[in-house]
Amino acid sequence: MSRTEPAGTPLGDQFHLYDTTLRDGAQREGIAYSVADKLAVARLLDELGVGFIEGGWPGALPKDTEFFARAASGELSLRHAVLVAFGATRRAGLAVAEDPQVRALLDSQAPVVTLVAKSDVRHIERALRVDVAEACAMVRDTVSFLAGEGRRVFVDAEHFFDGYAHDPDTALRVLDAAGSAGADVVVLCDTNGGRLPLGVADTVREVAERTGLRLGIHCQDDTACAVANSVAAVQAGVTHVQCTANGYGERAGNADLFAVAGNLAAKLGMPVLPEGRAAELTRTAHAIAEIANIAPDPHQAYVGSSAFAHKAGLHASAIKVDPLLYNHIDPGVVGNDMRVLVTEMAGRASLELKGAQLGMDLADRPEVLNSALKKVKALEAEGWSFEAADASLELLLRSEADGAPADSPFLLESYRVVLDHRSGGDVVSEATVKVRVGGERVIATAEGNGPVHALDAALRQALRGHLSWLDSVELADYKVRILASTPGTDAVTRVLVESRDGERTWTTVGVHPNIVEASWLALCDALVHKSQRQR
């Protein structure tokens, strides 16, 4: 048997940061982890330094059974965390040693087992269809059996808060059955996610006084309070908190591991992660999102790309004096970065800070800041947006600083795009580009599956052989938005182009009533930006 206590945090076994991404988090709509995915997520969580990783329900789901088998075979070597198998108590009327689900928990070889047990009398009588005495016996027998087999046992008291509010005596009987049989932790579950922080804290304190048991907390996010409820429970005395990465879970989700860990560490001073690992929160959040095939939430607390982004000029003025005046913590503590967004709301301080981030010292050049600010506001009024297009903003700032347009590696003479609807239903776009590059006039024609694709292909064909770095640049993303137009005028199209070269990613913007011209402007800016960086 492997160890049953977490390693690597100053708090050790005194406080449990428990992750259930691979079991409860996998119930989120749209998530379907493969076994390889589950192993990869477990490694990331272990690297971060969580104490317990709930791997799934062996015996109930073949994929989870395989996960534990592969983990036991040596595919999963955990440095900080302890692997946990999740399952149910014995079935009613069946001896615990004869229950195949309980046997599967032992066969998983997980050193810790978490059992789910109903603690609401309504669920006991209507869902389990047994009386309270039998429900408690099911808990008592299963905990005792697993503990006797050398497993450390936690018990999730399902629907506890609702059950305690309805019939506190029955809810406490279930907890007592678990504790008296040898469960190390009884976890109070807000399964329906309907509780609020003050009520959670009051109940936790009351239950702690009445039972003397070690308590944990598990919160769903149906009131958007899962993180707040979890932190309130910790402040009220629980020493075991269950979360999921990025708040993944059924319905509205679970308590977000990264927000809970960030709050406990940064706000309550609890070293719940190994030294230096809090700085890995952002990276881990995004890596797990990639495995789940879910785009990271830019507005996610602590780890979102917008968590420390500032748009208002008033904010930027204060940040220029002291970044912590408008940041609740140093973003670097959780591995994130502060960003200054430049929009029509920007002031000179915003542009000065943005220039500094781009390597331009504009502090002593007020005339550049004033002219750049005037141009940004005028362009934004026409539909341009620079907060997501740092590369276009950099070109604008450098143009204002140099007093001349950015030096382009090519000069457009003309372009033409035609659409060809062929027999059989195929639709092909063809673009012809005439440019001057390297002292030559070059004409190139290319086809594509759309006008922008064809235009990009023709431009690249024209420039190939003149720009040594061209083949390293690829189009990573393309977004189009039709902006609300003023009555009586044509609609305006805004295009964002994201480019990458294997080392970095940058975004450019183009705006025009014609979508092809808007795309051309963004494509050109992307190559001009790369050219300037090359020099």
Side-chain angles (χ1 to χ4, degrees):
M1 290 293 295
S2 58
R3 59 183 169 82
T4 62
E5 296 184 2
T9 71
L11 296 178
D13 199 45
Q14 298 174 39
F15 188 90
H16 298 167
L17 190 58
Y18 181 112
D19 180 88
T20 178
T21 301
L22 298 178
R23 200 272 307 173
D24 216 13
Q27 296 184 62
R28 170 171 168 148
E29 186 176 3
I31 287 183
Y33 293 122
S34 66
V35 176
D37 290 338
K38 289 169 72 77
L39 290 166
V41 170
R43 293 186 188 103
L44 286 166
L45 293 168
D46 181 59
E47 290 172 9
L48 180 64
V50 302
F52 296 89
I53 298 173
E54 190 177 272
W57 192 327
L61 299 172
K63 192 184 297 182
D64 290 356
T65 302
E66 182 185 346
F67 168 80
F68 282 100
R70 290 173 63 173
S73 72
E75 283 194 56
L76 184 62
S77 178
L78 300 178
R79 177 184 175 190
H80 298 294
V82 179
L83 191 60
V84 183
F86 179 90
T89 60
R90 69 162 175 84
R91 284 179 287 177
L94 186 65
V96 65
E98 298 174 2
D99 191 311
Q101 288 281 321
V102 175
R103 177 57 56 183
L105 292 172
L106 290 178
D107 292 343
S108 74
Q109 300 186 49
V112 177
V113 172
T114 292
L115 296 171
V116 60
K118 295 189 182 299
S119 57
D120 184 332
V121 66
R122 295 164 295 186
H123 284 265
I124 291 171
E125 295 176 348
R126 300 176 194 174
L128 288 181
R129 297 184 179 180
V130 300
D131 59 25
V132 174
E134 173 63 5
C136 290
M138 291 161 62
V139 173
R140 191 179 301 110
D141 293 348
T142 313
V143 172
S144 179
F145 175 75
L146 291 172
E149 292 290 330
R151 301 304 195 268
R152 187 176 188 182
V153 183
F154 304 149
V155 172
D156 281 359
E158 190 181 34
H159 296 284
F160 179 81
F161 289 93
D162 294 340
Y164 187 80
H166 177 74
D167 182 351
D169 290 339
T170 295
L172 292 179
R173 281 182 65 184
V174 175
L175 297 192
D176 181 68
S180 63
D184 283 345
V185 180
V186 288
V187 183
L188 312 184
C189 299
D190 182 20
T191 309
N192 287 345
R195 299 286 137 177
L196 299 175
L198 294 181
V200 166
D202 288 342
T203 299
V204 167
R205 280 188 285 265
E206 190 172 308
V207 171
E209 291 176 5
R210 296 182 64 175
T211 67
L213 297 171
R214 181 173 186 178
L215 302 180
I217 187 71
H218 176 114
C219 296
Q220 301 295 129
D221 201 35
D222 297 74
T223 59
C225 289
V227 171
N229 286 343
S230 299
V231 173
V234 171
Q235 291 178 305
V238 307
T239 57
H240 170 115
V241 59
Q242 297 189 359
C243 312
T244 64
N246 301 319
Y248 296 155
E250 196 171 33
R251 305 186 312 277
N254 290 41
D256 179 4
L257 168 70
F258 307 112
V260 170
N263 283 328
L264 296 181
K267 303 303 180 181
L268 300 185
M270 297 175 61
V272 294
L273 295 172
E275 185 176 357
R277 303 315 291 170
E280 296 298 315
L281 285 170
T282 299
R283 181 188 67 83
T284 305
H286 294 178
I288 292 177
E290 287 295 327
I291 294 172
N293 197 28
I294 293 176
D297 178 3
H299 303 289
Q300 187 176 352
Y302 286 103
V303 299
S305 60
S306 297
F308 300 95
H310 301 276
K311 190 169 182 176
L314 182 63
H315 289 209
S317 296
I319 289 170
K320 180 181 172 184
V321 177
D322 181 353
L324 288 181
L325 289 176
Y326 268 102
N327 287 319
H328 68 103
I329 63 167
D330 176 358
V333 170
V334 292
N336 209 337
D337 292 310
M338 183 185 76
R339 294 190 301 128
V340 177
L341 308 179
V342 176
T343 71
E344 76 279 2
M345 296 182 182
R348 281 176 45 181
S350 298
L351 286 177
E352 183 181 334
L353 286 169
K354 195 63 179 179
Q357 290 179 355
L358 297 172
M360 304 170 62
D361 185 3
L362 301 176
D364 297 324
R365 302 188 66 183
E367 74 288 350
V368 172
L369 292 173
N370 288 333
S371 62
L373 182 60
K374 184 177 180 180
K375 182 167 289 188
V376 165
K377 289 181 180 292
L379 288 172
E380 293 254 351
E382 296 173 8
W384 294 72
S385 177
F386 293 99
E387 64 178 292
D390 276 4
S392 289
L393 177 63
E394 181 176 348
L395 291 177
L396 185 152
L397 285 175
R398 293 194 184 282
S399 174
E400 293 301 309
D402 296 340
D407 186 20
S408 175
F410 61 91
L411 180 64
L412 174 69
E413 182 177 305
S414 68
Y415 71 76
R416 182 181 63 178
V417 181
V418 296
L419 194 67
D420 188 8
H421 186 238
R422 299 173 178 173
S423 61
D426 291 339
V427 179
V428 178
S429 294
E430 181 182 278
T432 299
V433 172
K434 301 177 183 179
V435 295
R436 293 191 176 275
V437 55
E440 299 180 27
R441 183 175 184 262
V442 181
I443 302 175
T445 300
E447 293 184 344
N449 56 19
V452 177
H453 182 215
L455 193 59
D456 181 51
L459 178 59
R460 287 172 175 274
Q461 187 172 314
L463 300 179
R464 190 164 284 113
H466 296 273
L467 304 177
S468 61
W469 44 262
L470 183 64
D471 288 339
S472 69
V473 179
E474 62 179 3
L475 181 65
D477 198 6
Y478 174 84
K479 296 185 179 74
V480 177
R481 182 179 177 189
I482 306 301
L483 305 178
S485 58
T486 304
T489 65
D490 293 332
V492 174
T493 303
R494 180 164 67 217
V495 170
L496 288 173
V497 167
E498 183 178 292
S499 305
R500 62 187 174 207
D501 60 7
E503 297 181 357
R504 48 185 293 273
T505 300
W506 63 98
T507 304
T508 50
V509 61
V511 173
H512 196 272
N514 185 296
I515 187 174
V516 176
E517 177 64 10
S519 302
W520 171 264
L521 294 173
L523 289 170
C524 288
D525 265 10
L527 296 182
V528 172
H529 176 77
K530 171 65 176 179
S531 176
Q532 289 206 342
R533 285 296 181 99
Q534 283 293 114
R535 292 201 298 269

PDB file of all heavy atoms in Angstrom, residues 370-386:
ATOM      1  N   ASN A 370      -0.070  62.171 -26.822  1.00  0.00           N
ATOM      2  CA  ASN A 370      -1.272  62.946 -27.178  1.00  0.00           C
ATOM      3  C   ASN A 370      -1.764  62.611 -28.578  1.00  0.00           C
ATOM      4  O   ASN A 370      -2.963  62.407 -28.805  1.00  0.00           O
ATOM      5  CB  ASN A 370      -0.991  64.444 -27.068  1.00  0.00           C
ATOM      6  CG  ASN A 370      -0.878  64.902 -25.624  1.00  0.00           C
ATOM      7  OD1 ASN A 370      -1.457  64.294 -24.729  1.00  0.00           O
ATOM      8  ND2 ASN A 370      -0.138  65.974 -25.398  1.00  0.00           N
ATOM      9  N   SER A 371      -0.854  62.547 -29.531  1.00  0.00           N
ATOM     10  CA  SER A 371      -1.266  62.264 -30.914  1.00  0.00           C
ATOM     11  C   SER A 371      -1.748  60.816 -31.044  1.00  0.00           C
ATOM     12  O   SER A 371      -2.725  60.535 -31.754  1.00  0.00           O
ATOM     13  CB  SER A 371      -0.107  62.525 -31.884  1.00  0.00           C
ATOM     14  OG  SER A 371       1.002  61.682 -31.611  1.00  0.00           O
ATOM     15  N   ALA A 372      -1.071  59.882 -30.357  1.00  0.00           N
ATOM     16  CA  ALA A 372      -1.487  58.484 -30.409  1.00  0.00           C
ATOM     17  C   ALA A 372      -2.857  58.302 -29.774  1.00  0.00           C
ATOM     18  O   ALA A 372      -3.714  57.576 -30.292  1.00  0.00           O
ATOM     19  CB  ALA A 372      -0.456  57.597 -29.721  1.00  0.00           C
ATOM     20  N   LEU A 373      -3.073  58.981 -28.654  1.00  0.00           N
ATOM     21  CA  LEU A 373      -4.353  58.881 -27.962  1.00  0.00           C
ATOM     22  C   LEU A 373      -5.487  59.435 -28.833  1.00  0.00           C
ATOM     23  O   LEU A 373      -6.561  58.842 -28.929  1.00  0.00           O
ATOM     24  CB  LEU A 373      -4.294  59.645 -26.635  1.00  0.00           C
ATOM     25  CG  LEU A 373      -5.550  59.599 -25.774  1.00  0.00           C
ATOM     26  CD1 LEU A 373      -5.899  58.170 -25.401  1.00  0.00           C
ATOM     27  CD2 LEU A 373      -5.353  60.451 -24.523  1.00  0.00           C
ATOM     28  N   LYS A 374      -5.218  60.547 -29.486  1.00  0.00           N
ATOM     29  CA  LYS A 374      -6.221  61.146 -30.365  1.00  0.00           C
ATOM     30  C   LYS A 374      -6.576  60.192 -31.503  1.00  0.00           C
ATOM     31  O   LYS A 374      -7.747  60.009 -31.857  1.00  0.00           O
ATOM     32  CB  LYS A 374      -5.688  62.465 -30.918  1.00  0.00           C
ATOM     33  CG  LYS A 374      -6.687  63.230 -31.773  1.00  0.00           C
ATOM     34  CD  LYS A 374      -6.103  64.569 -32.227  1.00  0.00           C
ATOM     35  CE  LYS A 374      -7.101  65.337 -33.088  1.00  0.00           C
ATOM     36  NZ  LYS A 374      -6.546  66.635 -33.532  1.00  0.00           N
ATOM     37  N   LYS A 375      -5.555  59.540 -32.077  1.00  0.00           N
ATOM     38  CA  LYS A 375      -5.795  58.627 -33.179  1.00  0.00           C
ATOM     39  C   LYS A 375      -6.549  57.381 -32.718  1.00  0.00           C
ATOM     40  O   LYS A 375      -7.461  56.905 -33.409  1.00  0.00           O
ATOM     41  CB  LYS A 375      -4.470  58.238 -33.834  1.00  0.00           C
ATOM     42  CG  LYS A 375      -4.634  57.311 -35.026  1.00  0.00           C
ATOM     43  CD  LYS A 375      -3.359  57.194 -35.837  1.00  0.00           C
ATOM     44  CE  LYS A 375      -3.072  58.474 -36.600  1.00  0.00           C
ATOM     45  NZ  LYS A 375      -1.942  58.313 -37.554  1.00  0.00           N
ATOM     46  N   VAL A 376      -6.169  56.840 -31.554  1.00  0.00           N
ATOM     47  CA  VAL A 376      -6.857  55.652 -31.021  1.00  0.00           C
ATOM     48  C   VAL A 376      -8.334  55.939 -30.818  1.00  0.00           C
ATOM     49  O   VAL A 376      -9.207  55.153 -31.213  1.00  0.00           O
ATOM     50  CB  VAL A 376      -6.211  55.184 -29.700  1.00  0.00           C
ATOM     51  CG1 VAL A 376      -7.125  54.196 -28.966  1.00  0.00           C
ATOM     52  CG2 VAL A 376      -4.860  54.536 -29.968  1.00  0.00           C
ATOM     53  N   LYS A 377      -8.641  57.069 -30.195  1.00  0.00           N
ATOM     54  CA  LYS A 377     -10.045  57.403 -29.929  1.00  0.00           C
ATOM     55  C   LYS A 377     -10.828  57.592 -31.230  1.00  0.00           C
ATOM     56  O   LYS A 377     -11.986  57.168 -31.346  1.00  0.00           O
ATOM     57  CB  LYS A 377     -10.121  58.659 -29.064  1.00  0.00           C
ATOM     58  CG  LYS A 377      -9.662  58.441 -27.614  1.00  0.00           C
ATOM     59  CD  LYS A 377      -9.781  59.716 -26.807  1.00  0.00           C
ATOM     60  CE  LYS A 377      -9.326  59.512 -25.367  1.00  0.00           C
ATOM     61  NZ  LYS A 377     -10.230  58.626 -24.610  1.00  0.00           N
ATOM     62  N   ALA A 378     -10.187  58.212 -32.226  1.00  0.00           N
ATOM     63  CA  ALA A 378     -10.867  58.423 -33.508  1.00  0.00           C
ATOM     64  C   ALA A 378     -11.122  57.090 -34.218  1.00  0.00           C
ATOM     65  O   ALA A 378     -12.217  56.857 -34.757  1.00  0.00           O
ATOM     66  CB  ALA A 378     -10.023  59.345 -34.397  1.00  0.00           C
ATOM     67  N   LEU A 379     -10.134  56.212 -34.209  1.00  0.00           N
ATOM     68  CA  LEU A 379     -10.282  54.919 -34.864  1.00  0.00           C
ATOM     69  C   LEU A 379     -11.309  54.039 -34.144  1.00  0.00           C
ATOM     70  O   LEU A 379     -12.098  53.327 -34.782  1.00  0.00           O
ATOM     71  CB  LEU A 379      -8.936  54.201 -34.944  1.00  0.00           C
ATOM     72  CG  LEU A 379      -7.928  54.797 -35.945  1.00  0.00           C
ATOM     73  CD1 LEU A 379      -6.569  54.129 -35.801  1.00  0.00           C
ATOM     74  CD2 LEU A 379      -8.448  54.646 -37.380  1.00  0.00           C
ATOM     75  N   GLU A 380     -11.277  54.073 -32.821  1.00  0.00           N
ATOM     76  CA  GLU A 380     -12.243  53.260 -32.065  1.00  0.00           C
ATOM     77  C   GLU A 380     -13.667  53.745 -32.348  1.00  0.00           C
ATOM     78  O   GLU A 380     -14.607  52.942 -32.378  1.00  0.00           O
ATOM     79  CB  GLU A 380     -11.941  53.328 -30.570  1.00  0.00           C
ATOM     80  CG  GLU A 380     -10.628  52.664 -30.169  1.00  0.00           C
ATOM     81  CD  GLU A 380     -10.832  51.333 -29.463  1.00  0.00           C
ATOM     82  OE1 GLU A 380     -11.979  51.007 -29.141  1.00  0.00           O
ATOM     83  OE2 GLU A 380      -9.826  50.626 -29.245  1.00  0.00           O
ATOM     84  N   ALA A 381     -13.826  55.020 -32.553  1.00  0.00           N
ATOM     85  CA  ALA A 381     -15.155  55.540 -32.881  1.00  0.00           C
ATOM     86  C   ALA A 381     -15.634  55.021 -34.228  1.00  0.00           C
ATOM     87  O   ALA A 381     -16.837  54.940 -34.492  1.00  0.00           O
ATOM     88  CB  ALA A 381     -15.132  57.072 -32.892  1.00  0.00           C
ATOM     89  N   GLU A 382     -14.703  54.637 -35.106  1.00  0.00           N
ATOM     90  CA  GLU A 382     -15.052  54.099 -36.417  1.00  0.00           C
ATOM     91  C   GLU A 382     -15.221  52.583 -36.396  1.00  0.00           C
ATOM     92  O   GLU A 382     -15.539  51.986 -37.430  1.00  0.00           O
ATOM     93  CB  GLU A 382     -13.961  54.462 -37.437  1.00  0.00           C
ATOM     94  CG  GLU A 382     -13.827  55.966 -37.676  1.00  0.00           C
ATOM     95  CD  GLU A 382     -12.630  56.292 -38.570  1.00  0.00           C
ATOM     96  OE1 GLU A 382     -12.011  55.340 -39.108  1.00  0.00           O
ATOM     97  OE2 GLU A 382     -12.323  57.482 -38.733  1.00  0.00           O
ATOM     98  N   GLY A 383     -14.963  51.961 -35.236  1.00  0.00           N
ATOM     99  CA  GLY A 383     -15.147  50.516 -35.128  1.00  0.00           C
ATOM    100  C   GLY A 383     -13.886  49.717 -34.890  1.00  0.00           C
ATOM    101  O   GLY A 383     -13.949  48.504 -34.686  1.00  0.00           O
ATOM    102  N   TRP A 384     -12.722  50.370 -34.917  1.00  0.00           N
ATOM    103  CA  TRP A 384     -11.476  49.655 -34.632  1.00  0.00           C
ATOM    104  C   TRP A 384     -11.444  49.293 -33.145  1.00  0.00           C
ATOM    105  O   TRP A 384     -12.036  49.973 -32.314  1.00  0.00           O
ATOM    106  CB  TRP A 384     -10.270  50.519 -34.985  1.00  0.00           C
ATOM    107  CG  TRP A 384     -10.146  50.804 -36.451  1.00  0.00           C
ATOM    108  CD1 TRP A 384     -10.938  51.627 -37.194  1.00  0.00           C
ATOM    109  CD2 TRP A 384      -9.198  50.238 -37.347  1.00  0.00           C
ATOM    110  NE1 TRP A 384     -10.545  51.630 -38.499  1.00  0.00           N
ATOM    111  CE2 TRP A 384      -9.465  50.782 -38.626  1.00  0.00           C
ATOM    112  CE3 TRP A 384      -8.136  49.355 -37.212  1.00  0.00           C
ATOM    113  CZ2 TRP A 384      -8.715  50.441 -39.746  1.00  0.00           C
ATOM    114  CZ3 TRP A 384      -7.387  49.019 -38.325  1.00  0.00           C
ATOM    115  CH2 TRP A 384      -7.672  49.545 -39.574  1.00  0.00           C
ATOM    116  N   SER A 385     -10.738  48.220 -32.838  1.00  0.00           N
ATOM    117  CA  SER A 385     -10.598  47.793 -31.441  1.00  0.00           C
ATOM    118  C   SER A 385      -9.179  47.301 -31.225  1.00  0.00           C
ATOM    119  O   SER A 385      -8.726  46.367 -31.889  1.00  0.00           O
ATOM    120  CB  SER A 385     -11.598  46.667 -31.120  1.00  0.00           C
ATOM    121  OG  SER A 385     -11.422  46.208 -29.800  1.00  0.00           O
ATOM    122  N   PHE A 386      -8.492  47.943 -30.290  1.00  0.00           N
ATOM    123  CA  PHE A 386      -7.088  47.618 -30.078  1.00  0.00           C
ATOM    124  C   PHE A 386      -6.837  46.786 -28.815  1.00  0.00           C
ATOM    125  O   PHE A 386      -5.722  46.344 -28.588  1.00  0.00           O
ATOM    126  CB  PHE A 386      -6.253  48.906 -30.010  1.00  0.00           C
ATOM    127  CG  PHE A 386      -6.206  49.643 -31.315  1.00  0.00           C
ATOM    128  CD1 PHE A 386      -7.035  50.725 -31.554  1.00  0.00           C
ATOM    129  CD2 PHE A 386      -5.342  49.242 -32.313  1.00  0.00           C
ATOM    130  CE1 PHE A 386      -7.005  51.404 -32.763  1.00  0.00           C
ATOM    131  CE2 PHE A 386      -5.299  49.908 -33.538  1.00  0.00           C
ATOM    132  CZ  PHE A 386      -6.127  51.004 -33.763  1.00  0.00           C
TER     133      PHE A 386
END
